[in-house]
Every structure is written in structure tokens, then in C-alpha cells.
Amino acid sequence: MRNILNFLVTFLVFWIGNEYFNPYLSITDTKTLLIASLLMFIISLLFSLAMVMSVMLITVGIGCLTTPALMLASIVLTPIKLWLLDKYLYGFEIHGLWTYVILTLVLSLFTVKVKERRD
């Protein structure tokens, strides 16, 4: 359920950005909007799996090296994903550094996190 909500949040952020801030974020059509949201979702899912594997490797001793690196990478991962979409997805354009910063903050702010329940 969390993954579906994250996909919908990404979709809505891109759609609102395209509708109301068109000089800064341009998406040509709905198909491009769906592809961009799906690619952001897939990259985030792969990163989450890498983070889980890294945490699991702490018991072996390797995770102590990889977990901080992945945590640091998560800070810059969203702008990198946005840049890759801008560069390689035809019809998806981001204009300006501050657009990257604002999109990163908005996507990070509205990403759904699941709290662990401890019994």
C-alpha cells in the first residue's frame, strides 16, 4: 500500500508542477507523466532494496561500511533521479537548479514512510 501511495504522490507532484509551474517543469503528455512517475518509483524501490540488504549485512560486518554510504547517497538520490529523467526521457524537462531543489524537497516531504509497530 505504501508503494502505491508513493507512486501516486510522485505522479501528483509532477502533474501539479506541469500544470501550475510550466516554465520550470514541462511534461509533454500523460504518457510521459506516467513513465516519469513509474521510473522514479522503480529507482526508489531498487534503492530501498539495497538499503534493506545493507542493513541485513551489518551482522556480517560489511553493512557497517555500506549503510552510511547508502544513507549519504539517499540525500542526493532524488536530484540524480530527476536529472536522469530530464536527460533521457523525451518530453520531460526541468529548467533551473532551484526547480531540482524544490522538487527534491517536495518529493521528500510527501513520501510516505511506514512506522514499525513494536508489540
Side-chain angles (χ1 to χ4, degrees), residues 4-104:
I4 294 170
L5 287 174
N6 285 336
F7 174 76
L8 291 175
V9 164
T10 304
F11 181 84
L12 285 174
V13 167
F14 285 161
W15 180 75
I16 290 170
N18 184 48
E19 289 295 317
Y20 297 107
F21 304 102
N22 201 351
Y24 305 106
L25 177 65
S26 301
I27 302 172
T28 55
D29 57 0
T30 307
K31 179 181 172 185
T32 306
L33 177 63
L34 283 171
I35 291 171
S37 300
L38 186 63
L39 288 175
M40 286 286 284
F41 170 74
I42 290 170
I43 295 170
S44 296
L45 187 64
L46 291 174
F47 182 76
S48 297
L49 290 175
M51 193 66 172
V52 167
M53 290 301 294
S54 176
V55 170
M56 289 173 52
L57 288 174
I58 286 178
T59 57
V60 179
I62 300 170
C64 295
L65 301 173
T66 58
T67 302
L70 283 174
M71 291 171 95
L72 181 62
S74 69
I75 295 171
V76 295
L77 185 67
T78 302
I80 290 171
K81 291 186 291 187
L82 291 170
W83 177 76
L84 287 171
L85 286 175
D86 182 26
K87 185 161 178 75
Y88 295 111
L89 184 61
Y90 178 75
F92 184 90
E93 295 179 9
I94 298 175
H95 306 285
L97 173 69
W98 289 108
T99 307
Y100 283 101
V101 172
I102 291 170
L103 278 174
T104 299

